[in-house]
Amino acid sequence: MEAFTTHTGTAAPLRHANVDTDQIIPAEYLKRLTRTGFDDGLFVDWRRDDPGFVLNLPQFATASILVAGPDFGIGSSREHAVWALLDGGFRVVISARFGDIFRNKSTKAGLLAVILTQREVEALWEATEADPALPVTVDLRAKEVRCGASVMPFQIEDYTRWRLLEGLDDIGLTEQHRADIEAYETRRPTWLPTVLPVRSG
Amino acid sequence: MGLTAGTPLREIKVDTVFLGSCTNGRIEDLRVAAGLLRGRKIDPDTRMMVVPGSAAVKLQAEAEGLDRLFIEAGAEWRGAGCSMCLAMNPDKLRPGERSASTSNRNFRGRQGKGGRTHLVSPAVAAATALTGRLTDPADVPTSPGA
């Protein structure tokens, strides 16, 4: 997965609380065997029904940071919600609280879920609504969000931060042990199943 | 939800009863519901889908003859699957339609865009299918076929 160190982009203010994964991407958009192209279902009902929905506004069309109300990503366990946000051009979601499952999945796919206070979220809403082109920097090394003159530190577990900085998803983590896995496979009787491609000869 | 404050639950008409999902589609759930439907017909304006929680549950229910009780009552006996729990396939509510559903999630639009979901137990689902309105199984007289 793509490593996350520092990202600077513009932010879209999503003034909704309790955004569940059925709103992020309805189930009928999950029927795909690949892991790409889920942006077609991203917030699709809101995008279709509400011309004023933030992601329908041209000034927020290229936003890469989503600033949402509290309890973002609650609801069904749905990795497609993370993929849809990534496919829709987002690298960061900021909220005062996240659904645990969503947050866990996001860190495994390279989408950074940043927890700020609701007061800071509201300051970002006001700042980006006043100036949609305002650059916002999310610095995972320094563990802070910078916007204009304000610096907003955030907490993140060391392990999750390390994985994101290194760009290690679950497969990448496993492949860190590739030498050990290969050594094990050479000792393993040939008639047993292997996790590596079939050995020639 | 299209409801008016003060409306008794018993007066709320539903269009669809969904009995199923991994949460409430066990063999015990189907037995409870089938017992309430035995010898009765569901409300003619109400659609009832019965979707076993797994293929094993479906086979067990058929071995016990529960499928016949559902079909004779006017319900649809379906293959195991997710069905109307999450509107991923054509099993979904149309805008404004109301369901009594034994699934466990009622996020907006979960059962189809614009649909309205009331989460109920398997027993309430069966009692509701009989009347077409949210119904307490305690209000259903003892089954004539029991």
Side-chain angles (χ1 to χ4, degrees):
Chain A
M1 84 186 185
E2 196 180 337
F4 192 108
T5 50
T6 289
H7 174 80
T8 299
T10 57
L14 182 65
R15 285 183 178 265
H16 283 268
N18 304 310
V19 176
D20 60 73
T21 54
D22 275 276
Q23 313 311 319
I24 299 172
I25 183 168
E28 63 184 282
Y29 288 87
L30 311 186
K31 292 175 288 189
R32 194 177 269 133
L33 296 176
T34 59
R35 264 187 64 168
T36 55
F38 289 97
D39 49 316
D40 60 353
L42 179 63
F43 295 119
V44 66
D45 287 345
W46 292 350
R47 281 182 9 229
R48 279 195 190 143
D49 293 350
D50 179 8
F53 177 59
V54 62
L55 299 187
N56 283 337
L57 304 177
Q59 62 268 39
F60 295 113
T62 58
S64 56
I65 300 167
L66 189 64
V67 186
D71 296 307
F72 185 87
I74 58 171
S76 279
S77 170
R78 192 168 286 183
E79 37 278 280
H80 312 71
V82 173
W83 300 341
L85 286 161
L86 286 167
D87 291 344
F90 290 99
R91 296 286 341 258
V92 183
V93 182
I94 296 173
S95 174
R97 272 196 308 269
F98 286 94
D100 283 344
I101 300 171
F102 173 87
R103 182 157 181 269
N104 192 27
K105 288 186 190 306
S106 68
T107 62
K108 293 186 176 199
L111 177 74
L112 179 58
V114 172
I115 299 170
L116 294 181
T117 65
Q118 182 60 23
R119 189 184 294 263
E120 289 166 328
V121 165
E122 284 172 20
L124 282 170
W125 283 345
E126 283 162 23
T128 53
E129 282 166 357
D131 178 9
L134 182 71
V136 176
T137 294
V138 180
D139 186 336
L140 183 57
R141 286 193 196 286
K143 294 192 276 188
E144 61 190 28
V145 176
R146 297 187 291 272
C147 173
S150 54
V151 176
M152 292 160 272
F154 63 87
Q155 298 294 314
I156 183 168
E157 314 86 84
D158 290 342
Y159 175 70
T160 303
R161 176 170 169 267
W162 169 75
R163 285 181 60 153
L164 284 162
L165 288 172
E166 298 292 325
L168 292 171
D169 58 16
D170 285 348
I171 292 171
L173 264 183
T174 305
E175 285 183 336
Q176 296 243 300
H177 304 285
R178 192 174 180 95
D180 289 340
I181 294 168
E182 286 179 352
Y184 172 79
E185 292 287 359
T186 59
R187 293 196 306 272
R188 190 170 162 81
T190 53
W191 49 272
L192 287 173
T194 67
V195 296
L196 295 174
V198 175
R199 292 191 285 271
S200 55
Chain B
M1 285 294 284
L3 296 172
T4 316
T7 305
L9 285 170
R10 286 183 175 84
E11 292 177 11
I12 297 171
K13 189 172 176 343
V14 305
D15 304 288
T16 295
V17 173
F18 172 58
L19 171 60
S21 85
C22 52
T23 306
N24 279 313
R26 308 172 199 76
I27 187 67
E28 298 92 325
D29 302 320
L30 301 187
R31 286 175 189 146
V32 164
L36 280 156
L37 297 183
R38 183 191 300 269
R40 294 194 167 91
K41 295 286 184 194
I42 66 170
D43 175 69
D45 295 331
T46 305
R47 176 192 193 196
M48 182 181 194
M49 290 190 290
V50 185
V51 182
S54 71
V57 168
K58 179 171 191 277
L59 293 173
Q60 175 69 26
E62 289 172 352
E64 295 181 16
L66 303 185
D67 57 323
R68 297 310 312 165
L69 295 178
F70 287 120
I71 291 166
E72 283 161 14
E76 299 172 26
W77 177 249
R78 306 279 293 271
C82 296
S83 184
M84 202 182 264
C85 175
L86 80 169
M88 190 154 74
N89 67 11
D91 293 339
K92 55 180 77 167
L93 298 176
R94 288 192 295 272
E97 280 190 332
R98 193 178 294 283
S99 78
S101 174
T102 67
S103 53
N104 67 340
R105 299 195 179 278
N106 59 351
F107 302 115
R108 184 173 298 201
R110 172 77 174 190
Q111 295 190 296
K113 189 178 169 187
R116 294 155 173 170
T117 300
H118 297 266
L119 297 181
V120 299
S121 70
V124 171
T128 297
L130 290 171
T131 63
R133 294 166 194 280
L134 292 176
T135 299
D136 183 343
D139 293 343
V140 178
T142 307
S143 174

